[in-house]
Amino acid sequence: MAWTPIEPNVLINGNTTGLAINSTNLYKPIFDARVQTIEDLKFLLLTHVGELVMQPDFGTRLLFVLFESNSSSSDLKETIDDIIKTAVARWMPGIDIEKIDITTSEDDPSLSHDIVIKLTVAFPILRNNVVVEIAANNSGTIIVSSNIGTENGK
């Protein structure tokens, strides 16, 4: 995957492992392999199968499942869990997803979104975990965040 920075002073040098978007530039270099791994995981989960040229099998059906009409939350949770585990096993086998927590508005009516998925990714060598949260609602809004750079993510 190639990224083209808009700002010429943000060109990638040989020391970087990838790119991320920040608020001041379109892209910023990523120097931390843990951050790059989380960014790659987000990219995998939010890419539709067939979206990448030359990689028609890359991606997931996660966004499709999140925004389709669902009959029961238990079926939805099972499907999401299976989608995530299958994609990670195929495309990122070196990543260790320790836990997947899925909460729907049916489970917790006080949620500000219709569904919240929390993935706990283990980094055993660094002796810590990173939590990636995906929140979506029926209006088509999706928010993805992680705790890297916070007290829990260090």
Side-chain angles (χ1 to χ4, degrees):
M1 175 177 75
W3 295 84
T4 306
I6 287 179
E7 298 287 332
N9 62 348
V10 191
L11 292 174
I12 303 307
N13 63 38
N15 297 327
T16 62
T17 56
L19 294 171
I21 297 173
N22 73 9
S23 59
T24 56
N25 298 309
L26 180 58
Y27 303 110
K28 70 175 184 172
I30 298 174
F31 297 97
D32 183 338
R34 180 181 57 147
V35 174
Q36 182 61 49
T37 300
I38 296 303
E39 291 300 314
D40 290 347
L41 176 62
K42 291 177 190 177
F43 182 71
L44 171 63
L45 295 178
L46 298 177
T47 300
H48 294 281
V49 173
E51 186 175 349
L52 289 183
V53 177
M54 305 297 288
Q55 289 287 344
D57 297 332
F58 182 85
T60 68
R61 294 179 25 252
L62 183 62
L63 294 178
F64 175 75
V65 169
L66 287 176
F67 295 116
E68 74 178 350
S69 299
N70 298 297
S71 54
S72 76
S73 79
S74 63
D75 289 344
L76 175 64
K77 289 177 183 182
E78 223 174 271
T79 302
I80 290 171
D81 190 77
D82 183 54
I83 286 172
I84 292 170
K85 287 178 179 174
T86 302
V88 169
R90 177 166 186 196
W91 295 104
M92 298 183 75
I95 196 170
D96 180 17
I97 295 185
E98 199 169 85
K99 184 168 58 167
I100 301 175
D101 289 324
I102 303 167
T103 308
T104 65
S105 55
E106 193 176 290
D107 302 326
D108 181 0
S110 68
L111 281 179
S112 59
H113 290 83
D114 294 315
I115 188 162
V116 176
I117 305 165
K118 289 185 182 181
L119 306 169
T120 304
V121 181
F123 290 92
I125 294 173
L126 301 173
R127 296 186 184 149
N128 69 2
N129 296 334
V130 174
V131 176
V132 176
E133 185 173 301
I134 302 170
N137 62 28
N138 288 334
S139 67
T141 303
I142 188 163
I143 298 171
V144 181
S145 61
S146 66
N147 68 337
I148 284 187
T150 64
E151 196 64 34
N152 295 333
K154 288 186 176 179

